[in-house]
Amino acid sequence: MLSKFFYHYASPQHFYPLAGRLWPWFALGAAGLGLWGLWLGFFVAPTDFQQGEGYRIIFVHVPVSWMSMIIYLAMAFWALLGLTLNTRLSGMMCRALAPTGAICAFLSLWTGALWGKPMWGTWWVWDARLTSTLVLLFLFIGVIALRSAMENRQAAGRATAILAVVGVINLPIIKFSVNWWNTLHQPASFTLTEKPAMPAEMWMPLLVMVIGFYLFMLVALILGMRNEVLRRESRTQWVKQWAQEKSRHAV
C-alpha cells in the first residue's frame, strides 16, 4: 500500500495537485508555532544565570542549524534515489531543497555570530563547529551553482547528485565536532536520549520552534517543488490542460 502511494505521487502530474492542497495547512501551522515559540522564548522563558538575555538567540539559532543539516540529508537521500532509480521527482527535490538549505545554513552562521560576539568577544573563530557549518553552506551553494552552470540537464542532475551524496560526510563532523575537538562552541543543550540540561521553561519553546521550522521547511520545499515541476514539465499535456483550466477559472 505504501509503495503504491509512493510511486503514484512520485509522478509530477499527481504530486503537483497534492502539494497545492497541503502547503496552506503547513504554512498555517508554521506561522502559528513560530509566533507561539517566539513568545514563549522571548517573554516567558527565564533569563539564563550565565549568559543573561543573550542566550535567547538559541530559539532561532538551534532550529535553523538543525534544519540546515536535515535539509542536506534529505537532499542527499533524493540525490541517491535519483542515481539509483532515475526517478524524475528526485532531481526536482534536490533543486527545490538546496536554496532553503543554503538559507538555513547562512542563518545558522549569522545567528551564531550574534550569539558569539557577547559570549566569546568575537563574531567569528575558526572553530570546528563553525568551520564545518561554513563548509555545509558552500556545499549547498555548490549544488545550486553546478546545476545552473551545466546546460545538459541530465549531466547536471548526475553531477549535483554525486556532490550531494559525497557531502554527507560533513554532517557527522558538524554533529560531533564539539565532542571530537576542543572547541569554543558549547555541547548540545539536549538530545533525544538524555534528559535536557535546561529547565522546561527553556526547552519547551525551543521544541515548539523546531517543529515550526520543520513545517516551514515543508512549505518552502512544496512551493519550490511546484515551481520546479511547472518549469520541467511545461511542455507536457497535463500542464497545458492545468493552465487552460486555471485561465478559465480566473475569467
Side-chain angles (χ1 to χ4, degrees), residues 47-68:
T47 303
D48 186 78
F49 75 99
Q50 286 183 324
Q51 302 181 30
E53 299 293 346
Y55 91 97
R56 298 185 192 276
I57 195 68
I58 69 168
F59 298 118
V60 177
H61 174 69
V62 172
V64 294
S65 299
W66 286 9
M67 286 306 102
S68 64

Side-chain angles (χ1 to χ4, degrees), residues 45-202:
T47 303
D48 186 78
F49 75 99
Q50 286 183 324
Q51 302 181 30
E53 299 293 346
Y55 91 97
R56 298 185 192 276
I57 195 68
I58 69 168
F59 298 118
V60 177
H61 174 69
V62 172
V64 294
S65 299
W66 286 9
M67 286 306 102
S68 64
M69 292 189 290
I70 291 170
I71 290 172
Y72 193 92
L73 188 62
M75 186 178 70
F77 166 78
W78 285 105
L80 183 62
L81 203 64
L83 288 172
T84 54
L85 300 181
N86 197 29
T87 57
R88 285 189 297 167
L89 202 64
S90 299
M92 298 180 193
M93 281 286 190
C94 290
R95 190 179 181 95
L97 282 165
T100 306
I103 292 172
C104 287
F106 172 78
L107 289 176
S108 173
L109 292 169
W110 182 59
T111 54
L114 292 178
W115 177 81
K117 178 60 176 177
M119 304 304 163
W120 301 340
T122 181
W123 298 102
W124 175 267
V125 291
W126 290 102
D127 180 271
R129 171 64 63 86
L130 275 67
T131 304
S132 54
T133 302
L134 181 62
V135 171
L136 181 66
L137 174 60
F138 289 156
L139 285 169
F140 278 121
I141 294 174
V143 168
I144 297 171
L146 186 59
R147 181 174 286 272
S148 301
M150 301 179 66
E151 295 183 1
N152 187 303
R153 183 182 298 175
Q154 186 175 1
R158 184 172 181 81
T160 54
I162 293 173
L163 175 61
V165 172
V166 172
V168 170
I169 194 173
N170 187 51
L171 297 183
I173 296 176
I174 297 174
K175 171 64 178 175
F176 298 108
S177 57
V178 293
N179 305 115
W180 292 345
W181 295 287
N182 183 22
T183 68
L184 288 175
H185 197 286
Q186 67 185 54
S189 300
F190 66 92
T191 63
L192 297 176
T193 58
E194 298 178 2
K195 184 179 179 180
M198 59 176 63
E201 295 85 354
M202 291 182 178

